[in-house]
Structures are given as structure tokens and as C-alpha cells.
């Protein structure tokens, strides 16, 4: 139904309008008595074979929603009904910000991809916390945190600490986002010394809490092997819980979309099918270089069951989807879960 009816209709709208319209429909229909049960039964049946225990948390299945889709924790009651094993909200910044000028989200249908330059648009950490105070039980929620655009890099650690402290009681794990290409100079924080400093200070804050939470680092797919080796060293040195590989890419290589169209769209992070092999290679490199010393969540270009298995076989313990969900709909989650269950049961 999604690919035959809903998707063609949504793709007539601009990507941002389509997103808000689709999620508005989901919210509306799940208020009708019985609909939540129907969706849960169709997409989110629990399956013992697919449970994953990681970071001291039990995930009902290994498929999560990547950050950027539910930036403000507005849909945390509805999205688990579609089969997600966990939801990552954000990126959240200390102060609300509008993000970059529109249009800032673009479809590349020939490539089954998106380009975004959203710019961490979100309602700010205080508004997100208020929503999370009413979070659904039994749903694992991650908090993806970043810095405000106006905060200079030398003060970035303060923004991460503010979000970390305010969200700490309301999320199950944290993701430090220094890899978005859409906040000026943010990726410079992936360099060894600034990154080590941010993660170390977060770990100190974490250790002072009554119930410390897992902290993960989200990295770009555009890092060199030397930079990835630095990442392995930093993770092992700071003792954070793991890595999410990968964010969007600034590369435009091997796309079917004409160059003139890409030039008209301009800057932004590319996600979707063209990212699949690149992100899998990063996962495999990190797994081998670290001798599996830390868990990896794999994300980037998962549009089929095969894509999901490739990420898991490369060394990911969990996976996340976003663009694949937009192009394939909730049936993608159902197919991946069924495939994993059959494989693990065999």
C-alpha cells in the first residue's frame, strides 16, 4: 500500500511537507481505537529470535530509526508501531534553532537518495525534555546531541554537556554528532584532540551520574583510513560505548542524477543507496582495526534485506534506517525482521 498509493502521493509534495503530512496522518489514525493494535500486529510483533542485548539494554529487534527523522521527539509514541526496535531523536541543541534556509531537503529518485542541509533545526533541548517526560514505556530512545550554529568550536563542549545533562534522565543512550556536514566547521571537531576532549568531558560527567548512560560517537563516511584509525584509538582511550557508522556523505560520485540537477541543489549531505557500500566499508575497517573492541551501529543505504545483512556481517551489532524507510516504507522493516528471524532460527 505504501509504495503503490502513499509514496506516489507524498512524492508530489516537497520532501519537508511530505514528512510532516505523513507523520500527521500517522498521528491522526493512531488516535482511532484499534488502529494502534492493527499496526503493531502487522509490523511490530515481538520475536524472540530478533532480540539483541547491547549496552545493558534489550532491543526488541536490531533495526533503529536514525537521527534526523524525529528531531524533536514528536513521534516517539507512533514510530515503534511500525516495527522499529529503537528510536534515535535529534540532533538536539541547547537552544532552539531554525536551521538553514528552505529548500534544504531534496530527493534523488534515480539514485533512491536524499540530499539534506537541514542544519540541526530543532526546538531546543528543553522542549524535547518536556516531550520525553511522557515517553512510552518499553521503547528504547537514543538522544543525538550537537552544538548550536552560533557556538564557536572552542566552546562546543559546553553545548554537548548542556544537552547531555538535561537529557540524561530521559534517554537510554547518547550519540555525539560531530559529523553533520550542514553546520559550519562542525566536522573539524572530528579531529583527534578536540574530539578526545569532548568525549572525555562527557565521560567525566557521565561517571558522576547515579545511572551512567552509554555514549556513542557518530562519524562521517568521508574520513581517511588514518582518521578512522584515530577514531579507534579515541574510542578505546575514552572508553565510550561505541560508534555509529556513518552519517551522510559530501561525495557526489557515481550518481545517476544529472550533474546539472546536483549543481542546482547545491551543498548538503547525501544519504540513501549510494552510501551503502561506503558505510559498510567503514564498519568493516573499524571492526577489523579495533579487533571488535567496541560495538558498531551501522547506518547508510539500507534499502533491502541484503543491505541490512551486509552491515551486520561487516561487524554492526545494530542497524538504523532513514532514507530507505522513505523510499520503501514500513514493509522494509518487516522484511528485514522476517529475514533475520528465519536466518537465526535456521
Amino acid at each position: 500500500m505504501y509504495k503503490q498509493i502513499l509514496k506516489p502521493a507524498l512524492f508530489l509534495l516537497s520532501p519537508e511537507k511530505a514528512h510532516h503530512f505523513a507523520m500527521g496522518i500517522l498521528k491522526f489514525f493512531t488516535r482511532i481505537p484499534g488502529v494502534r493494535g492493527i499496526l503493531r500486529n502487522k509490523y511490530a510483533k515481538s520475536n524472540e529470535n530478533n532480540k539483541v542485548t547491547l549496552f545493558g539494554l534489550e532491543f526488541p529487534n536490531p533495526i533503529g530509526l536514525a537521527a534526523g527523522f524525529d528531531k524533536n521527539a514528536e513521534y516517539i509514541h507512533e514510530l515503534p508501531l511500525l516495527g522499529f526496535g529503537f528510536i534515535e531523536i535529534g540532533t538536539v541543541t541547547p537552544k532552539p534553532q531554525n536551521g538553514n534556509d528552505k529548500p534544504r531537503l531534496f530527493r534523488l529518485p534515480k539514485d533512491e537518495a536524499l540530499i539534506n542541509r537541514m542544519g540541526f533545526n530543532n526546538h531546543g533541548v528543553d522542549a524535547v525534555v518536556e516531550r520525553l517526560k511522557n515517553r512510552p514505556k518499553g521503547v528504547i530512545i537514543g538522544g543525538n546531541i550537537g552544538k548550536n550554529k552560533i557556538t564557536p568550536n572552542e566552546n562546543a563542549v559546553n553545548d554537548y554537556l548542556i544537552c547531555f545533562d538535561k537529557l540524561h534522565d530521559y534517554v537510554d543512550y547518547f550519540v555525539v554528532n560531530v559529523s553533520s556536514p550542514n553546520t559550519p566547521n562542525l566536522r573539524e571537531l572530528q579531529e583527534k584532540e578536540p574530539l578526545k576532549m569532548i568525549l572525555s568531558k562527557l565521560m567525566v560527567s557521565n561517571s558522576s551520574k547515579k545511572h551512567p548512560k552509554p555514549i556513542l560517537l557518530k562519524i562521517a563516511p568521508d574520513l581517511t583510513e588514518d582518521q578512522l584509525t584515530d577514531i579507534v584509538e579515541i574510542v578505546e582511550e575514552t572508553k565510550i560505548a561505541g560508534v555509529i557508522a556513518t552519517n551522510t556523505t559530501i561525495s557526489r560520485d557515481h550518481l545517476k542524477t544529472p550533474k546539472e540537477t546536483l549543481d542546482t541543489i547545491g551543498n548538503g549531505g547525501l544519504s540513501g543507496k549510494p552510501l551503502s557500500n561506503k558505510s559498510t566499508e567503514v564498519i568493516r575497517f573499524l571492526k577489523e582495526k579495533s579487533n571488535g573492541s567496541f560495538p558498531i551501529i551501522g547506518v547508510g543505504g539500507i534499502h533491502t534485506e541484503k543491505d541490512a545483512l551486509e552491515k551486520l556481517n561487516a561487524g554492526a551489532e545494530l542497524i538504523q534506517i532513514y532514507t530507505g524507510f522513505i523510499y520503501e516504507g514500513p514493509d522494509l522493516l518487516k522484511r528485514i525482521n522476517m529475514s533475520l528471524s528465519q536466518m537465526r532460527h535456521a
Side-chain angles (χ1 to χ4, degrees):
M1 178 180 152
Y2 176 81
K3 290 187 82 171
Q4 287 73 32
I5 301 169
L6 195 53
K7 179 184 163 187
L10 290 171
F11 273 42
L12 293 173
L13 303 172
S14 73
E16 270 197 79
K17 281 183 181 173
H19 173 79
H20 293 300
F21 181 69
M23 297 317 294
I25 289 174
L26 183 63
K27 260 194 183 299
F28 173 79
F29 278 106
T30 53
R31 290 193 186 109
I32 299 171
V35 169
R36 297 177 70 86
I38 292 168
L39 288 175
R40 192 180 287 112
N41 193 50
K42 181 172 173 60
Y43 295 113
K45 277 185 180 175
S46 67
N47 187 319
E48 289 297 320
N49 291 335
N50 286 357
K51 286 184 177 177
V52 177
T53 301
L54 196 66
F55 314 126
L57 301 167
E58 187 176 84
F59 295 80
N61 69 64
I63 311 167
L65 179 68
F69 191 94
D70 189 7
K71 290 174 177 291
N72 298 299
E74 293 175 283
Y75 311 114
I76 51 177
H77 293 269
E78 293 80 22
L79 287 165
L81 300 171
L82 301 181
F84 288 105
F86 59 109
I87 308 290
E88 191 171 306
I89 59 150
T91 296
V92 181
T93 57
K95 297 173 183 173
Q97 56 182 30
N98 293 326
N100 294 321
D101 293 340
K102 297 178 183 179
R104 55 194 180 182
L105 182 61
F106 308 87
R107 300 186 193 97
L108 276 56
K110 289 180 180 177
D111 294 290
E112 293 181 68
L114 298 172
I115 289 175
N116 93 81
R117 51 169 177 271
M118 303 298 284
F120 287 176
N121 56 306
N122 74 106
H123 298 164
V125 69
D126 292 331
V128 171
V129 165
E130 284 306 307
R131 289 196 188 99
L132 289 172
K133 285 177 180 177
N134 185 35
R135 58 173 284 181
K137 290 180 180 176
V139 176
I140 293 176
I141 296 177
N144 187 300
I145 57 176
K147 80 172 189 74
N148 280 113
K149 184 177 181 179
I150 60 170
T151 303
N153 275 4
E154 56 267 28
N155 298 333
V157 66
N158 297 329
D159 279 17
Y160 288 96
L161 284 167
I162 288 167
C163 290
F164 182 77
D165 286 335
K166 290 190 173 185
L167 284 169
H168 196 274
D169 292 341
Y170 304 99
V171 298
D172 299 296
Y173 70 89
F174 281 93
V175 180
V176 178
N177 188 352
V178 289
S179 52
S180 168
N182 301 316
T183 294
N185 307 318
L186 182 75
R187 284 190 170 191
E188 291 174 10
L189 297 176
Q190 288 183 120
E191 295 300 326
K192 196 168 187 178
E193 292 312 312
L195 183 55
K196 199 191 299 183
M197 189 264 290
I198 289 170
L199 295 177
S200 296
K201 291 205 172 185
L202 286 169
M203 287 296 285
V204 168
S205 177
N206 201 27
S207 65
S208 71
K209 308 288 187 190
K210 189 175 179 182
H211 300 290
K213 300 286 171 75
I215 299 173
L216 291 90
L217 171 68
K218 189 165 188 176
I219 63 170
D222 308 308
L223 299 176
T224 64
E225 287 196 356
D226 285 346
Q227 288 173 312
L228 287 172
T229 301
D230 284 345
I231 294 293
V232 171
E233 289 176 12
I234 290 165
V235 172
E236 292 176 343
E237 192 176 321
T238 59
K239 295 182 170 51
I240 63 166
V243 167
I244 297 187
T246 64
N247 211 321
T248 57
T249 179
I250 54 173
S251 170
R252 300 291 188 266
D253 294 340
H254 312 300
L255 295 179
K256 296 171 186 171
T257 302
K259 185 177 182 300
E260 310 82 68
T261 305
L262 296 172
D263 289 343
T264 302
I265 290 170
N267 296 333
L270 177 78
S271 63
K273 235 177 178 2
L275 187 55
S276 185
N277 290 338
K278 199 170 191 177
S279 61
T280 302
E281 286 167 14
V282 171
I283 293 164
R284 188 173 287 113
F285 182 92
L286 291 174
K287 194 73 174 182
E288 291 173 359
K289 198 74 180 174
S290 69
N291 293 315
S293 65
F294 53 81
I296 300 166
I297 298 178
V299 55
I302 298 174
H303 288 237
T304 65
E305 302 95 307
K306 180 174 174 284
D307 296 332
L309 290 173
E310 282 176 357
K311 292 279 188 291
L312 294 167
N313 290 335
E317 273 81 9
L318 301 169
I319 56 173
Q320 291 178 327
I321 62 174
Y322 181 146
T323 306
F325 180 56
I326 289 166
Y327 278 90
E328 297 295 322
D331 277 338
L332 174 61
L333 284 79
K334 188 176 180 180
R335 293 198 309 269
I336 294 172
N337 271 317
M338 284 177 64
S339 177
L340 290 175
S341 177
Q342 289 165 3
M343 186 181 72
R344 288 167 177 173
H345 186 65

